[in-house]
Amino acid sequence: MTLPLAPDGPVTILFELDGYLPTEVEGVEGRAGETVEVARELKQIVGTVSVQADEGATVRLGSPEGEALCETPCQAQLPPGTWVLYVHKDGHRDAVRQVDVVADEEVVTAVELQPNTGSLLVDASERGALVEVDGEAVGFTPAVVQLPVGTRTVRVSRPGYAAVETQVDIATDEQVVLDDLELVASNEITAVSRRSERAQLAPSSVTIIGREEIEAFRYPTIYSALRGVRGFALTYDSIYGSAAVRGLGQANDFGNRLLILSDGAVLNDNILYQSFIGYAGRTDLEGIDRIEIVRGPGSILYGTGAVSGVVNLVPEPRRSPERTTVAVGAFDNHVMRGTAATHQNFGEDAGLYAMVSGATSDGREVEVDPRGPANPPTTLHAFDSFTAATTTGRLWFRDAVFQWYHGGRTLHFPTGAFGVRLDAADRNYWIDNRTLLELRYEPSLSDSTRLLTRVYGNRYVYEGIGAYGGRYLNYEKYYGNSIGAEARVVYDPGDVFGLQVGVTGEVSPEIDLYGEDRPPDAPVDNYLDEERPYGIAAVYGLMALNPVDAVRLTGGARIDYWSTFGFAVSPRASLVLLPSRRDVVKLMAGRAFRAPSIYELYYNIPGIQELPGKLLPETVWSGELELSHAFDEAWTGLVAGHGSLAQNVVETRSVPGGAVQYANSGEAIRIAGVDAEVRRAFKGGWMASAFYSWLDSRYADSLQVVPNVPTHNAGTKVVIPVAGSMARVALRNSLEAPRRIDLTRDDTTGWAVVSDLVLSGSVPERRFSYAIGVYNLFDMQYSQPLTDTFPFRTMPQQGRSLLATLSLGF
């Protein structure tokens, strides 16, 4: 713009424009014939708009195609007035905001961008299965979820089933339907070969009790879960529960021919090698994904104790959803139980599972028949009076896993074991405490080679006080501490060949047995004071060969050295044939051993249990032929024949004077048996199974029947959903067949059929579950054999009892 200026003196020029601040220039002088330039920059009148939104969104002015102001989170200056802002980010719905701008002031607008979404409908053959999308839990089948647009990874899983994983493309405002997902029972087992393999092809006779069965029957202990399992005969002597498998197991052996594992780590103690399967072990099976049961010799991988079989408690998978649960319940009419557990994931490669539980009972009254025809029946009080607690858990980070276990129980018993006063539970009690710590590091060295290492520590402490009339007391205490390490290399390049070799060592520097009598008005009599540390070393190898798809060969051996007796060799071989897609033939043979325990070697209490002579290790040769046929994806039938020869079996024998003594049997024991089973795996929420086993167990020379071995073994199980996962009925029947009581007579225990009926259910979305039922529904009265360490020949077993459990998740 050009303005004329008068030459008569300086002037002031004023600049004004709408939307800008006015400004002026003073002292402008004009000269004739000259042009004076005057310039000023006007400052726009603006306010500040602050846009808070997801990072990287574009803010445009006026329309989706308008001027781009900035990328969020950001600020922009605009003239005063009302403006429309469009906020855009790829994959999200556009957001529109109207803002009123005031000069020299800041206005803040928050924008929550909603992703472009579609929906996903997921259903599977098993209701209540967990649905995960891109690693995040989103619900349980059947489920409908809104998902961001794009390619998503969907995983559907349920304990006991192989997970199904697939990818879907989610489009805006469209629905993807996955309503035909088939969840198939996984039937994976690790206890046979210490690597995961299909149970149908594992080279042993196996049974898997999955999570669904555990929940349906709400088994409170390992002991209760093993009742009604093919080949198992349980014994409860009022102090400990134990299991004989296919004729291997006698009264007063503390179940030391059966190996109990927690995720592969041995839970048997190192003094009696006892398998704690009752409340002295675990007071709850919370957090157990499945129970793997292996019949037959397992010494090739586990050494001593795996003579009759192996029971492995497999924890829930690492990828389980986060949860915290508390549960309360009652069992056996007099047992109160409580449990708290948590599973926490710290990213994809780290997490924690921890459980603590407790149980207590004031006991009950039981009528028994003392030995001798002149002794009348006696009522015992506070039978099964105890307090117990368990804590167990795992902490994992990538290839490292730390697991712990501690179980403790204080039991008051009135049954007069080992000569203590009858019906004096308040003065007769035993305390067991068992602790395990294990650290594993299991890295993959290559695509085909894996290194598995572990170090572990064990501790067992026993204390017992017995009253022997008047103020006469007996006191005993055992300590057992051990540490060990193992390294194993697994080479598995493909389907044709596999190899694993390992070395292990263990030392028990503190193994103490102490016992004393405390008679009134007399010096203490220290009758037992043994310090017997020992060590173990072993090397083993196992090879698998699959020359063609229908033939699978495995074989290997283990050499153990025990400082208490020397060397033991345990070979094993198997041939698995697949003549058709539905048929499997297994031919298996092997040898197992059991080292005499420190308790068997050195325990004595004068007049009650005498010190044995030299004990040799037990050895068992076993062979089996098993044929199975899959009728369809759910139903399977099985028949099997098996035989064993057990030598140097350690037994409790009576000696002159009324005492007992551990001794190797002078005769071998030969065992022959036949099994038949049909089973429907869990599918659609229900399952069914039935089995019958015939067993003949005799001393090889005299042909006498071995005590505590039932000739017949049978059972049925069925689980039927009545309202999906919210309500199901579970029924179990197990046969208690006659057993020979001892070698002095031919009389036996009686027949009984024990029936359990449980109604259970859960609401996964609300993390609520319950169970209510009756064990021994028809109140069958039956007994099991005892040794001469008790004042009667048989022990009455639990009659009708109630079960109730309520669990809540957070």
Side-chain angles (χ1 to χ4, degrees), residues 382-723:
F383 186 97
D384 276 348
S385 172
F386 74 94
T387 300
T390 306
T391 179
T392 185
R394 297 186 303 157
L395 180 66
W396 61 90
F397 178 70
R398 294 181 181 173
D399 295 325
V401 180
F402 172 72
Q403 76 161 317
W404 73 88
Y405 161 84
H406 175 79
R409 184 195 66 169
T410 299
L411 172 75
H412 297 264
F413 62 97
T415 51
F418 296 92
V420 301
R421 286 177 54 194
L422 199 63
D423 200 25
D426 59 329
R427 305 191 68 188
N428 301 323
Y429 63 88
W430 286 6
I431 303 173
D432 293 278
N433 284 284
R434 173 74 177 90
T435 304
L436 163 73
L437 301 175
E438 182 194 55
L439 177 62
R440 299 202 305 263
Y441 181 60
E442 301 177 340
S444 295
L445 304 181
S446 68
D447 292 340
S448 59
T449 306
R450 192 175 183 191
L451 174 65
L452 299 99
T453 63
R454 68 187 187 107
V455 293
Y456 58 89
N458 290 294
R459 179 171 174 80
Y460 175 60
V461 177
Y462 162 84
E463 295 183 57
I465 291 183
Y468 283 87
R471 293 181 291 113
Y472 186 98
L473 294 178
N474 168 261
Y475 172 80
E476 290 187 356
K477 193 166 188 176
Y478 315 153
Y479 290 99
N481 294 321
S482 65
I483 55 174
E486 181 179 17
R488 181 162 49 106
V489 176
V490 177
Y491 178 62
D492 193 7
D495 296 332
V496 177
F497 175 75
L499 177 67
Q500 56 178 310
V501 294
V503 60
T504 182
E506 181 180 312
V507 293
S508 298
E510 182 184 28
I511 301 290
D512 297 340
L513 306 179
Y514 180 83
E516 64 181 33
D517 287 330
R518 300 174 180 176
D521 306 321
V524 170
D525 177 18
N526 177 207
Y527 62 86
L528 178 65
D529 192 2
E530 299 285 348
E531 297 182 7
R532 298 289 179 171
Y534 65 94
I536 309 167
V539 60
Y540 59 89
L542 185 64
M543 182 180 67
L545 182 64
N546 305 330
V548 294
D549 290 342
V551 178
R552 299 168 183 263
L553 295 164
T554 61
R558 174 178 171 127
I559 302 175
D560 282 83
Y561 173 77
W562 281 66
S563 63
T564 56
F565 69 86
F567 290 93
V569 180
S570 305
R572 188 177 87 181
S574 68
L575 170 64
V576 179
L577 302 175
L578 286 74
S580 73
R581 185 174 62 87
R582 295 183 179 274
D583 296 287
V584 180
V585 179
K586 297 181 182 180
L587 181 61
M588 304 159 286
R591 181 181 187 269
F593 81 98
R594 186 182 71 84
S597 69
I598 295 298
Y599 178 84
E600 291 168 329
L601 287 169
Y602 300 111
Y603 178 79
N604 76 92
I605 178 170
I608 303 296
Q609 184 161 319
E610 301 291 350
L611 190 68
K614 182 179 180 180
L615 291 178
L616 300 174
E618 298 178 354
T619 58
V620 179
W621 287 95
S622 298
E624 181 171 5
L625 174 63
E626 179 184 285
L627 312 175
S628 65
H629 174 75
F631 300 103
D632 55 29
E633 292 183 354
W635 286 97
T636 302
L638 174 151
V639 293
H642 60 88
S644 298
L645 181 67
Q647 299 171 305
N648 298 322
V649 175
V650 178
E651 300 179 317
T652 301
R653 294 292 183 88
S654 298
V655 295
V660 297
Q661 183 182 66
Y662 284 117
N664 291 113
S665 171
E667 299 180 60
I669 295 176
R670 61 133 181 91
I671 302 169
V674 177
D675 295 344
E677 183 174 23
V678 60
R679 182 178 182 88
R680 184 193 191 276
F682 265 100
K683 190 176 179 63
W686 73 281
M687 63 84 69
S689 70
F691 77 88
Y692 169 76
S693 298
W694 174 85
L695 189 66
D696 185 73
S697 180
R698 297 178 183 270
Y699 291 96
D701 298 331
S702 65
L703 299 183
Q704 288 197 77
V705 174
V706 176
N708 198 43
V709 178
T711 302
H712 307 281
N713 183 216
T716 64
K717 295 177 185 176
V718 61
V719 178
I720 302 173
V722 294

Side-chain angles (χ1 to χ4, degrees), residues 324-328 341 766-769 806-810:
T324 297
T325 59
V326 295
V328 294
R766 299 186 179 182
R767 296 186 177 183
F768 164 80
S769 64
L806 175 65
S807 176
L808 297 175
F810 302 94

Side-chain angles (χ1 to χ4, degrees), residues 77-136:
Q77 277 71 49
L78 292 174
T82 299
W83 299 93
V84 176
L85 305 180
Y86 281 81
V87 184
H88 169 81
K89 185 177 182 179
D90 290 343
H92 294 71
R93 300 182 188 276
D94 287 352
V96 181
R97 292 292 184 272
Q98 181 175 293
V99 293
D100 293 320
V101 179
V102 178
D104 298 327
E105 294 186 9
E106 180 182 11
V107 59
V108 178
T109 183
V111 180
E112 184 177 350
L113 294 175
Q114 300 297 325
N116 290 330
T117 62
S119 65
L120 172 68
L121 186 154
V122 184
D123 202 359
S125 57
E126 303 300 322
R127 295 298 177 95
L130 176 68
V131 180
E132 297 173 279
V133 177
D134 295 339
E136 296 291 331

Side-chain angles (χ1 to χ4, degrees), residues 258-290:
L258 177 67
L259 198 64
I260 306 296
L261 307 176
S262 174
D263 196 22
V266 175
L267 292 183
N268 299 53
D269 71 84
N270 57 0
I271 292 182
L272 299 90
Y273 223 73
Q274 178 172 190
S275 55
F276 296 101
I277 60 176
Y279 285 110
R282 289 183 62 122
T283 56
D284 198 292
L285 297 183
E286 208 288 335
I288 298 300
D289 181 64
R290 65 184 185 272

Side-chain angles (χ1 to χ4, degrees), residues 318-346:
R318 291 187 182 189
R319 286 194 62 169
S320 297
E322 291 189 343
R323 63 184 176 89
T324 297
T325 59
V326 295
V328 294
F331 185 64
D332 283 349
N333 293 332
H334 298 273
V335 179
M336 300 299 298
R337 304 164 57 231
T339 303
T342 186
H343 185 118
Q344 301 296 323
N345 297 315
F346 312 129

